[in-house]
Coordinates of all heavy atoms in Angstrom, one line a residue:
M1 N 98.9 59.2 184.7 CA 100.0 60.0 185.0 C 99.7 60.9 186.2 O 98.7 61.7 186.1 CB 100.3 60.9 183.8 CG 101.4 61.9 184.0 SD 101.7 62.7 182.4 CE 102.2 64.3 183.0
G2 N 100.4 60.8 187.3 CA 100.1 61.6 188.5 C 100.9 62.9 188.5 O 101.9 63.0 187.9
F3 N 100.4 63.8 189.3 CA 101.1 65.0 189.5 C 102.0 64.9 190.7 O 101.7 64.2 191.7 CB 100.1 66.2 189.8 CG 99.2 66.5 188.6 CD1 97.9 66.1 188.6 CD2 99.7 67.2 187.6 CE1 97.1 66.4 187.5 CE2 98.9 67.5 186.5 CZ 97.6 67.1 186.5
R4 N 103.2 65.5 190.5 CA 104.2 65.4 191.6 C 104.0 66.4 192.7 O 104.3 66.1 193.8 CB 105.6 65.6 191.0 CG 106.1 64.4 190.2 CD 107.4 64.7 189.6 NE 107.2 65.5 188.4 CZ 108.2 65.9 187.6 NH1 109.4 65.6 187.9 NH2 107.9 66.6 186.5
S5 N 103.3 67.5 192.4 CA 103.2 68.5 193.4 C 102.0 69.4 193.1 O 101.4 69.4 192.0 CB 104.4 69.4 193.6 OG 104.6 70.2 192.4
G6 N 101.6 70.2 194.1 CA 100.5 71.2 193.9 C 100.9 72.2 192.9 O 100.1 72.8 192.3
R7 N 102.2 72.5 192.8 CA 102.7 73.5 191.8 C 102.4 73.0 190.4 O 102.0 73.9 189.6 CB 104.2 73.6 192.0 CG 104.8 74.6 191.1 CD 106.3 74.9 191.4 NE 106.9 75.8 190.5 CZ 107.7 75.6 189.5 NH1 108.1 74.3 189.3 NH2 108.1 76.5 188.7
D8 N 102.5 71.7 190.1 CA 102.2 71.2 188.8 C 100.7 71.5 188.5 O 100.3 71.9 187.4 CB 102.5 69.8 188.7 CG 104.0 69.5 188.6 OD1 104.8 70.4 188.4 OD2 104.4 68.3 188.9
R9 N 99.9 71.2 189.5 CA 98.4 71.4 189.3 C 98.1 72.9 189.0 O 97.3 73.3 188.2 CB 97.6 70.9 190.5 CG 97.5 69.5 190.5 CD 96.5 69.0 191.6 NE 97.2 67.9 192.3 CZ 97.4 67.8 193.5 NH1 96.9 68.6 194.4 NH2 98.0 66.7 194.0
L10 N 98.7 73.8 189.8 CA 98.5 75.2 189.7 C 99.0 75.7 188.3 O 98.3 76.5 187.7 CB 99.3 76.0 190.8 CG 99.2 77.5 190.7 CD1 97.7 77.9 191.0 CD2 100.1 78.1 191.8
L11 N 100.1 75.2 187.8 CA 100.6 75.6 186.5 C 99.6 75.1 185.4 O 99.3 75.8 184.4 CB 102.0 75.0 186.2 CG 103.1 75.7 186.9 CD1 104.4 75.0 186.7 CD2 103.2 77.2 186.5
L12 N 99.0 73.9 185.6 CA 98.1 73.4 184.6 C 96.8 74.2 184.6 O 96.3 74.5 183.5 CB 97.7 71.9 184.9 CG 96.8 71.2 184.0 CD1 97.4 71.1 182.6 CD2 96.5 69.8 184.5
V13 N 96.3 74.6 185.7 CA 95.1 75.4 185.8 C 95.3 76.8 185.2 O 94.5 77.3 184.5 CB 94.6 75.5 187.3 CG1 93.5 76.6 187.4 CG2 94.1 74.2 187.8
A14 N 96.5 77.4 185.6 CA 96.8 78.7 185.0 C 97.0 78.7 183.5 O 96.5 79.5 182.8 CB 98.1 79.2 185.7
G15 N 97.6 77.6 183.0 CA 97.7 77.5 181.6 C 96.4 77.3 180.9 O 96.1 77.9 179.8
G16 N 95.5 76.5 181.5 CA 94.1 76.4 180.9 C 93.4 77.7 180.9 O 92.7 78.0 180.0
F17 N 93.5 78.5 182.0 CA 92.9 79.7 182.1 C 93.4 80.7 181.0 O 92.6 81.4 180.3 CB 93.1 80.3 183.5 CG 92.4 81.6 183.7 CD1 91.0 81.7 183.8 CD2 93.1 82.8 183.8 CE1 90.4 82.9 184.0 CE2 92.5 84.0 184.0 CZ 91.1 84.1 184.1
V18 N 94.7 80.8 180.8 CA 95.2 81.6 179.8 C 94.8 81.2 178.4 O 94.4 82.0 177.5 CB 96.8 81.7 179.9 CG1 97.4 82.3 178.7 CG2 97.2 82.4 181.2
A19 N 94.8 79.9 178.1 CA 94.3 79.4 176.8 C 92.9 79.7 176.6 O 92.5 80.1 175.5 CB 94.5 77.9 176.8
A20 N 92.0 79.6 177.6 CA 90.6 80.0 177.5 C 90.5 81.5 177.2 O 89.6 81.9 176.3 CB 89.8 79.6 178.7
L21 N 91.2 82.3 177.8 CA 91.2 83.8 177.5 C 91.6 84.1 176.1 O 91.0 84.9 175.4 CB 92.0 84.5 178.5 CG 91.4 84.7 180.0 CD1 92.4 85.4 180.9 CD2 90.1 85.4 180.0
L22 N 92.7 83.4 175.7 CA 93.1 83.6 174.3 C 92.1 83.2 173.3 O 91.9 83.8 172.2 CB 94.5 82.9 174.1 CG 95.7 83.5 174.8 CD1 96.9 82.5 174.6 CD2 96.0 84.8 174.2
L23 N 91.4 82.1 173.5 CA 90.3 81.6 172.6 C 89.2 82.6 172.6 O 88.6 82.9 171.6 CB 89.9 80.2 173.0 CG 90.8 79.1 172.6 CD1 90.3 77.8 173.2 CD2 90.9 78.9 171.1
L24 N 88.8 83.1 173.8 CA 87.7 84.1 173.9 C 88.1 85.3 173.1 O 87.3 85.9 172.3 CB 87.4 84.4 175.3 CG 86.4 85.5 175.6 CD1 85.0 85.1 175.0 CD2 86.3 85.9 177.0
E25 N 89.3 85.8 173.3 CA 89.8 87.0 172.5 C 89.7 86.8 171.0 O 89.3 87.7 170.3 CB 91.2 87.5 173.0 CG 91.7 88.6 172.3 CD 91.0 89.9 172.5 OE1 90.2 90.1 173.5 OE2 91.1 90.9 171.7
A26 N 90.2 85.7 170.6 CA 90.2 85.3 169.2 C 88.8 85.3 168.6 O 88.5 85.8 167.5 CB 90.9 84.0 168.9
G27 N 87.9 84.7 169.4 CA 86.5 84.7 168.9 C 85.9 86.1 168.8 O 85.1 86.4 167.9
L28 N 86.1 86.9 169.8 CA 85.6 88.3 169.8 C 86.2 89.1 168.6 O 85.5 89.9 168.0 CB 85.9 89.0 171.1 CG 85.1 88.5 172.3 CD1 85.6 89.1 173.6 CD2 83.6 88.7 172.1
Q29 N 87.5 89.0 168.4 CA 88.1 89.7 167.3 C 87.6 89.2 165.9 O 87.4 90.0 165.0 CB 89.6 89.5 167.3 CG 90.3 90.3 168.5 CD 90.1 91.8 168.4 OE1 90.0 92.3 167.3 NE2 90.1 92.4 169.5
A30 N 87.3 87.9 165.8 CA 86.8 87.4 164.6 C 85.4 87.9 164.3 O 85.0 88.3 163.2 CB 86.8 85.8 164.6
G31 N 84.6 88.0 165.4 CA 83.2 88.6 165.3 C 83.2 90.0 164.9 O 82.5 90.4 164.1
A32 N 84.2 90.8 165.4 CA 84.3 92.2 165.1 C 84.7 92.3 163.6 O 84.2 93.2 162.9 CB 85.3 92.9 166.0
L33 N 85.6 91.4 163.1 CA 86.0 91.5 161.7 C 84.9 91.2 160.8 O 84.7 91.8 159.8 CB 87.2 90.5 161.5 CG 87.8 90.4 160.1 CD1 88.4 91.8 159.7 CD2 88.8 89.4 160.0
V34 N 84.0 90.2 161.2 CA 82.9 89.9 160.3 C 81.9 91.1 160.3 O 81.4 91.4 159.2 CB 82.2 88.6 160.9 CG1 80.8 88.4 160.3 CG2 83.0 87.4 160.7
C35 N 81.7 91.7 161.4 CA 80.8 92.9 161.4 C 81.4 94.0 160.5 O 80.7 94.6 159.8 CB 80.6 93.4 162.8 SG 79.6 92.4 163.9
W36 N 82.7 94.2 160.6 CA 83.3 95.3 159.9 C 83.3 95.0 158.4 O 83.0 95.9 157.6 CB 84.7 95.5 160.4 CG 85.5 96.6 159.7 CD1 85.3 97.9 159.8 CD2 86.5 96.4 158.7 NE1 86.2 98.6 159.0 CE2 86.9 97.6 158.2 CE3 87.0 95.2 158.1 CZ2 87.9 97.8 157.3 CZ3 88.0 95.4 157.1 CH2 88.4 96.7 156.7
S37 N 83.6 93.8 158.0 CA 83.8 93.4 156.6 C 82.4 93.3 155.9 O 82.4 93.4 154.7 CB 84.6 92.2 156.4 OG 83.9 91.1 157.0
S38 N 81.3 93.1 156.6 CA 80.0 92.9 156.0 C 79.3 94.2 155.7 O 78.3 94.2 155.1 CB 79.1 92.0 156.9 OG 78.8 92.7 158.1
R39 N 80.0 95.3 156.1 CA 79.3 96.6 155.9 C 79.5 97.1 154.4 O 80.5 96.8 153.7 CB 80.0 97.7 156.8 CG 79.9 97.2 158.2 CD 80.7 98.1 159.1 NE 79.9 99.0 159.7 CZ 80.3 100.0 160.4 NH1 81.6 100.2 160.5 NH2 79.5 100.8 161.0
S40 N 78.5 97.8 153.9 CA 78.5 98.3 152.6 C 79.4 99.5 152.5 O 79.6 100.2 153.4 CB 77.1 98.6 152.1 OG 76.5 99.6 152.9
R41 N 79.9 99.8 151.3 CA 80.7 101.0 151.0 C 79.7 102.2 150.9 O 78.6 102.0 150.4 CB 81.5 100.8 149.8 CG 82.5 99.6 149.8 CD 83.5 99.8 150.9 NE 84.3 98.7 151.0 CZ 84.6 98.1 152.2 NH1 84.1 98.5 153.3 NH2 85.4 97.0 152.2
V42 N 80.2 103.3 151.2 CA 79.4 104.5 151.2 C 79.7 105.4 150.0 O 80.8 105.7 149.7 CB 79.7 105.4 152.5 CG1 78.9 106.7 152.5 CG2 79.4 104.5 153.7
A43 N 78.6 105.7 149.3 CA 78.7 106.6 148.1 C 78.3 108.0 148.5 O 77.2 108.2 149.2 CB 77.8 106.2 147.0
I44 N 79.1 109.0 148.2 CA 78.8 110.4 148.6 C 78.5 111.2 147.4 O 79.2 111.2 146.4 CB 80.1 111.0 149.3 CG1 80.5 110.1 150.5 CG2 79.8 112.4 149.8 CD1 79.5 109.9 151.6
A45 N 77.4 111.9 147.4 CA 77.0 112.8 146.3 C 78.0 114.0 146.2 O 78.4 114.5 147.3 CB 75.6 113.3 146.5
P46 N 78.3 114.5 145.0 CA 79.1 115.7 144.9 C 78.5 116.9 145.6 O 77.3 117.1 145.6 CB 79.1 115.9 143.4 CG 78.8 114.6 142.8 CD 77.9 113.9 143.7
G47 N 79.3 117.6 146.4 CA 78.8 118.7 147.1 C 78.2 118.4 148.5 O 77.9 119.2 149.2
G48 N 78.1 117.1 148.8 CA 77.5 116.7 150.0 C 78.6 116.8 151.2 O 79.8 116.8 150.9
R49 N 78.1 116.9 152.3 CA 78.9 116.9 153.5 C 78.9 115.6 154.2 O 77.9 114.9 154.2 CB 78.4 118.0 154.5 CG 78.5 119.4 153.9 CD 78.0 120.4 154.9 NE 78.1 121.7 154.3 CZ 77.4 122.7 154.8 NH1 76.5 122.6 155.7 NH2 77.5 123.9 154.2
V50 N 80.0 115.2 154.8 CA 80.1 113.9 155.5 C 80.5 114.1 156.9 O 81.4 114.9 157.3 CB 81.2 113.1 154.7 CG1 81.3 111.7 155.4 CG2 80.9 112.9 153.3
V51 N 79.8 113.3 157.8 CA 80.2 113.2 159.2 C 80.6 111.7 159.4 O 79.8 110.8 159.1 CB 79.0 113.5 160.1 CG1 79.3 113.3 161.5 CG2 78.5 115.0 159.9
L52 N 81.8 111.6 160.0 CA 82.2 110.2 160.3 C 82.1 110.0 161.8 O 82.8 110.7 162.6 CB 83.7 110.0 159.8 CG 84.4 108.7 160.3 CD1 83.6 107.5 159.7 CD2 85.8 108.7 159.9
C53 N 81.3 109.1 162.2 CA 81.2 108.8 163.6 C 82.1 107.6 163.9 O 81.9 106.5 163.3 CB 79.7 108.4 164.0 SG 78.6 109.8 163.7
V54 N 83.0 107.7 164.8 CA 83.9 106.7 165.1 C 83.7 106.3 166.6 O 83.3 107.1 167.4 CB 85.4 107.0 164.9 CG1 85.7 107.2 163.4 CG2 85.8 108.2 165.7
G55 N 84.0 105.1 166.9 CA 83.8 104.6 168.3 C 83.7 103.1 168.4 O 84.2 102.4 167.6
D56 N 83.1 102.7 169.5 CA 83.0 101.3 169.8 C 81.6 100.7 169.5 O 81.0 101.2 168.6 CB 83.4 101.1 171.3 CG 82.5 101.9 172.2 OD1 81.5 102.5 171.8 OD2 82.7 101.9 173.5
S57 N 81.2 99.7 170.2 CA 79.9 99.1 170.0 C 78.8 100.0 170.2 O 77.7 99.8 169.6 CB 79.8 97.8 170.8 OG 79.9 98.1 172.2
H58 N 78.9 101.0 171.0 CA 77.8 102.0 171.3 C 77.6 102.8 170.0 O 76.4 103.0 169.6 CB 78.1 103.0 172.4 CG 78.3 102.3 173.7 ND1 77.2 101.7 174.4 CD2 79.3 102.0 174.5 CE1 77.6 101.2 175.5 NE2 78.9 101.3 175.6
T59 N 78.6 103.2 169.3 CA 78.5 103.9 168.1 C 78.0 103.0 167.0 O 77.1 103.4 166.2 CB 79.9 104.5 167.6 OG1 80.3 105.4 168.6 CG2 79.7 105.3 166.3
Y60 N 78.5 101.8 166.9 CA 78.1 100.8 165.9 C 76.6 100.5 166.1 O 75.9 100.3 165.1 CB 78.9 99.6 166.1 CG 78.5 98.5 165.1 CD1 79.0 98.5 163.8 CD2 77.8 97.4 165.5 CE1 78.7 97.5 162.9 CE2 77.4 96.4 164.7 CZ 77.9 96.4 163.4 OH 77.6 95.4 162.5
G61 N 76.1 100.5 167.3 CA 74.7 100.1 167.6 C 74.5 98.6 167.7 O 73.5 98.1 167.2
L62 N 75.4 98.0 168.4 CA 75.4 96.5 168.5 C 74.1 96.0 169.2 O 73.6 95.0 168.7 CB 76.6 96.1 169.3 CG 76.9 94.6 169.3 CD1 77.2 94.1 167.9 CD2 78.1 94.3 170.2
E63 N 73.6 96.7 170.2 CA 72.4 96.2 170.8 C 71.2 96.9 170.3 O 70.1 96.6 170.7 CB 72.5 96.5 172.3 CG 73.7 95.7 173.0 CD 73.4 94.3 173.2 OE1 72.2 93.9 173.4 OE2 74.3 93.5 173.1
A64 N 71.3 97.8 169.3 CA 70.2 98.6 168.8 C 69.5 97.9 167.6 O 70.2 97.1 166.9 CB 70.7 99.9 168.4
T65 N 68.3 98.2 167.5 CA 67.6 97.7 166.3 C 68.0 98.5 165.1 O 68.7 99.5 165.2 CB 66.0 97.8 166.4 OG1 65.7 99.2 166.7 CG2 65.5 97.0 167.6
D66 N 67.7 98.0 163.9 CA 68.1 98.7 162.6 C 67.6 100.2 162.7 O 66.5 100.4 163.0 CB 67.5 98.0 161.4 CG 68.2 96.7 161.1 OD1 69.3 96.5 161.6 OD2 67.6 95.9 160.3
G67 N 68.5 101.1 162.4 CA 68.2 102.5 162.4 C 68.2 103.2 163.7 O 67.8 104.3 163.8
A68 N 68.5 102.4 164.8 CA 68.4 103.0 166.1 C 69.8 103.5 166.6 O 69.8 104.1 167.7 CB 67.8 102.1 167.1
S69 N 70.9 103.2 165.9 CA 72.2 103.7 166.4 C 72.2 105.3 166.3 O 71.4 105.8 165.5 CB 73.3 103.1 165.5 OG 73.2 103.6 164.2
Y70 N 73.0 105.9 167.0 CA 73.0 107.4 167.0 C 73.4 107.9 165.6 O 72.9 108.9 165.2 CB 73.7 108.0 168.2 CG 75.2 108.2 168.1 CD1 75.8 109.2 167.3 CD2 76.0 107.3 168.8 CE1 77.1 109.3 167.3 CE2 77.4 107.4 168.7 CZ 77.9 108.4 167.9 OH 79.3 108.6 167.9
P71 N 74.4 107.3 164.9 CA 74.7 107.8 163.6 C 73.5 107.7 162.6 O 73.3 108.6 161.8 CB 75.9 106.9 163.1 CG 76.5 106.5 164.4 CD 75.4 106.3 165.3
A72 N 72.7 106.6 162.7 CA 71.6 106.5 161.8 C 70.5 107.5 162.2 O 69.8 108.0 161.3 CB 71.0 105.1 162.0
Q73 N 70.4 107.9 163.4 CA 69.4 109.0 163.8 C 69.9 110.4 163.5 O 69.1 111.3 163.3 CB 69.1 108.8 165.3 CG 68.4 107.6 165.6 CD 68.1 107.4 167.1 OE1 68.2 108.4 167.9 NE2 67.9 106.2 167.6
L74 N 71.3 110.5 163.5 CA 71.8 111.9 163.2 C 71.6 112.3 161.8 O 71.4 113.5 161.5 CB 73.3 111.8 163.5 CG 74.1 113.1 163.3 CD1 73.6 114.2 164.2 CD2 75.6 112.9 163.6
E75 N 71.7 111.4 160.8 CA 71.6 111.8 159.4 C 70.3 112.5 159.1 O 70.3 113.6 158.5 CB 71.8 110.6 158.5 CG 71.9 111.0 157.0 CD 72.4 109.9 156.2 OE1 73.1 109.0 156.6 OE2 72.0 109.9 155.0
P76 N 69.1 112.0 159.4 CA 67.9 112.7 159.1 C 67.8 114.0 159.9 O 67.2 115.0 159.4 CB 66.8 111.8 159.5 CG 67.4 110.6 160.2 CD 68.8 110.7 160.0
I77 N 68.3 114.1 161.0 CA 68.3 115.4 161.8 C 69.1 116.4 161.0 O 68.6 117.6 160.8 CB 68.8 115.2 163.2 CG1 67.9 114.3 164.0 CG2 69.1 116.5 163.9 CD1 68.4 113.9 165.4
L78 N 70.3 116.1 160.6 CA 71.1 117.0 159.8 C 70.5 117.4 158.5 O 70.5 118.6 158.1 CB 72.5 116.5 159.6 CG 73.4 116.3 160.9 CD1 74.7 115.6 160.5 CD2 73.7 117.7 161.5
N79 N 69.9 116.4 157.8 CA 69.3 116.7 156.5 C 68.1 117.5 156.6 O 67.7 118.2 155.7 CB 69.0 115.4 155.8 CG 70.3 114.8 155.2 OD1 71.2 115.5 154.7 ND2 70.3 113.5 155.2
G80 N 67.4 117.5 157.8 CA 66.3 118.4 158.0 C 66.6 119.7 158.6 O 65.7 120.5 158.8
S81 N 67.9 120.0 158.8 CA 68.3 121.3 159.4 C 68.3 122.4 158.4 O 68.6 123.6 158.8 CB 69.6 121.1 160.1 OG 70.6 120.9 159.2
G82 N 68.2 122.2 157.1 CA 68.3 123.2 156.1 C 69.7 123.7 155.8 O 69.9 124.8 155.2
T83 N 70.7 122.9 156.1 CA 72.1 123.2 155.8 C 72.7 122.4 154.7 O 73.9 122.4 154.6 CB 72.9 123.1 157.1 OG1 72.8 121.7 157.5 CG2 72.5 124.0 158.2
G84 N 71.9 121.8 153.9 CA 72.4 121.1 152.7 C 72.3 119.6 153.0 O 71.7 119.1 154.0
R85 N 72.8 118.8 152.1 CA 72.8 117.3 152.2 C 73.9 116.8 153.0 O 75.1 117.3 152.9 CB 72.9 116.7 150.8 CG 71.7 116.7 149.9 CD 70.5 116.0 150.5 NE 70.6 114.5 150.6 CZ 69.9 113.8 151.4 NH1 69.0 114.4 152.2 NH2 70.0 112.5 151.5
W86 N 73.6 115.9 153.9 CA 74.6 115.3 154.8 C 74.6 113.8 154.6 O 73.5 113.2 154.4 CB 74.3 115.6 156.2 CG 74.5 117.1 156.6 CD1 73.6 118.1 156.4 CD2 75.6 117.6 157.2 NE1 74.1 119.2 156.9 CE2 75.3 119.0 157.4 CE3 76.8 117.1 157.6 CZ2 76.3 119.9 157.9 CZ3 77.7 118.0 158.2 CH2 77.5 119.4 158.3
K87 N 75.7 113.2 154.8 CA 75.8 111.7 154.8 C 76.6 111.4 156.1 O 77.7 111.9 156.3 CB 76.6 111.2 153.6 CG 76.8 109.7 153.6 CD 75.4 109.0 153.5 CE 75.6 107.5 153.6 NZ 74.4 106.8 153.8
V88 N 76.0 110.6 157.0 CA 76.6 110.2 158.2 C 77.1 108.8 158.0 O 76.3 107.9 157.7 CB 75.6 110.3 159.4 CG1 76.3 109.8 160.7 CG2 75.1 111.7 159.6
V89 N 78.4 108.6 158.2 CA 79.0 107.3 158.1 C 79.3 106.7 159.5 O 79.9 107.4 160.3 CB 80.3 107.4 157.3 CG1 81.0 106.0 157.2 CG2 80.1 108.0 155.9
N90 N 78.8 105.5 159.7 CA 79.0 104.9 161.0 C 80.3 104.1 161.0 O 80.4 103.0 160.4 CB 77.8 103.9 161.3 CG 77.8 103.4 162.7 OD1 78.9 103.4 163.3 ND2 76.7 102.8 163.1
G91 N 81.3 104.6 161.6 CA 82.6 104.0 161.7 C 82.8 103.3 163.0 O 83.9 103.0 163.4
G92 N 81.7 103.0 163.7 CA 81.8 102.3 165.0 C 82.2 100.8 164.7 O 81.9 100.2 163.8
W93 N 83.0 100.3 165.7 CA 83.6 98.9 165.5 C 83.5 98.2 166.8 O 84.2 98.6 167.8 CB 85.0 99.0 165.0 CG 85.6 97.7 164.6 CD1 85.1 96.4 164.8 CD2 86.8 97.6 163.9 NE1 86.0 95.5 164.3 CE2 87.1 96.2 163.8 CE3 87.8 98.4 163.5 CZ2 88.2 95.7 163.1 CZ3 88.9 97.9 162.9 CH2 89.1 96.6 162.7
P94 N 82.6 97.2 166.9 CA 82.5 96.5 168.2 C 83.8 95.9 168.6 O 84.6 95.4 167.8 CB 81.5 95.3 167.9 CG 80.8 95.8 166.7 CD 81.7 96.7 165.9
G95 N 84.1 96.0 169.9 CA 85.4 95.5 170.4 C 86.4 96.5 170.5 O 87.5 96.3 171.1
Q96 N 86.2 97.7 170.0 CA 87.2 98.8 170.1 C 87.0 99.5 171.4 O 85.9 99.5 172.0 CB 87.1 99.8 169.0 CG 87.4 99.2 167.6 CD 88.8 98.7 167.5 OE1 89.2 97.6 167.8 NE2 89.7 99.6 167.1
D97 N 88.1 100.1 171.9 CA 88.0 100.9 173.1 C 88.8 102.2 172.9 O 89.4 102.4 171.8 CB 88.4 100.2 174.4 CG 89.8 99.6 174.3 OD1 90.6 100.1 173.6 OD2 90.0 98.7 175.1
S98 N 88.9 103.0 173.9 CA 89.6 104.3 173.7 C 91.1 104.1 173.5 O 91.8 104.9 172.8 CB 89.4 105.2 174.9 OG 89.9 104.5 176.1
W99 N 91.7 103.0 173.9 CA 93.1 102.7 173.6 C 93.3 102.5 172.1 O 94.3 102.9 171.6 CB 93.5 101.4 174.4 CG 94.9 101.1 174.1 CD1 95.4 100.1 173.3 CD2 96.1 101.7 174.7 NE1 96.7 100.1 173.3 CE2 97.2 101.0 174.2 CE3 96.2 102.7 175.7 CZ2 98.5 101.4 174.6 CZ3 97.5 103.0 176.0 CH2 98.6 102.4 175.5
D100 N 92.4 101.8 171.4 CA 92.5 101.5 170.0 C 92.2 102.8 169.2 O 92.6 102.8 168.1 CB 91.5 100.4 169.6 CG 91.8 99.1 170.3 OD1 93.0 98.8 170.6 OD2 90.8 98.4 170.6

């Protein structure tokens, strides 16, 4: 099957590009959903204070080793400050941005 014009080829390339971008977005969203759903639920002790850290992959600690995200480092700092018990909840979600 031959192409009749350069316009047909351009439409085919543009359609392939859009399809590839849609597949990439679907894969990234699926990965973010897996990260979010695999997290454990947080139990808060009565009388404890809670800090919720929200944000993107920087908050989540996507590139960080275990315990190296800033929410994980914040909890021992707050608990050592002498102001009572604190629980820091990491609400970071990879793939989110300021628009979300």
Side-chain angles (χ1 to χ4, degrees):
M1 177 176 149
F3 292 104
R4 286 180 277 180
S5 69
R7 181 174 179 253
D8 290 342
R9 281 188 227 131
L10 181 62
L11 287 174
L12 183 63
V13 169
F17 182 71
V18 168
L21 287 177
L22 289 173
L23 284 172
L24 176 63
E25 177 66 20
L28 291 172
Q29 290 295 332
L33 181 63
V34 167
C35 287
W36 178 77
S37 66
S38 67
R39 302 169 102 188
S40 61
R41 303 295 178 227
V42 177
I44 307 300
R49 296 179 180 160
V50 180
V51 174
L52 174 61
C53 299
V54 295
D56 58 7
S57 56
H58 296 289
T59 301
Y60 179 79
L62 192 61
E63 297 287 326
T65 59
D66 286 342
S69 67
Y70 83 80
Q73 294 179 19
L74 180 60
E75 187 169 331
I77 292 169
L78 291 173
N79 284 325
S81 68
T83 57
R85 284 300 293 160
W86 290 85
K87 178 65 182 170
V88 177
V89 178
N90 187 342
W93 189 347
Q96 296 295 91
D97 57 23
S98 60
W99 179 261
D100 298 325

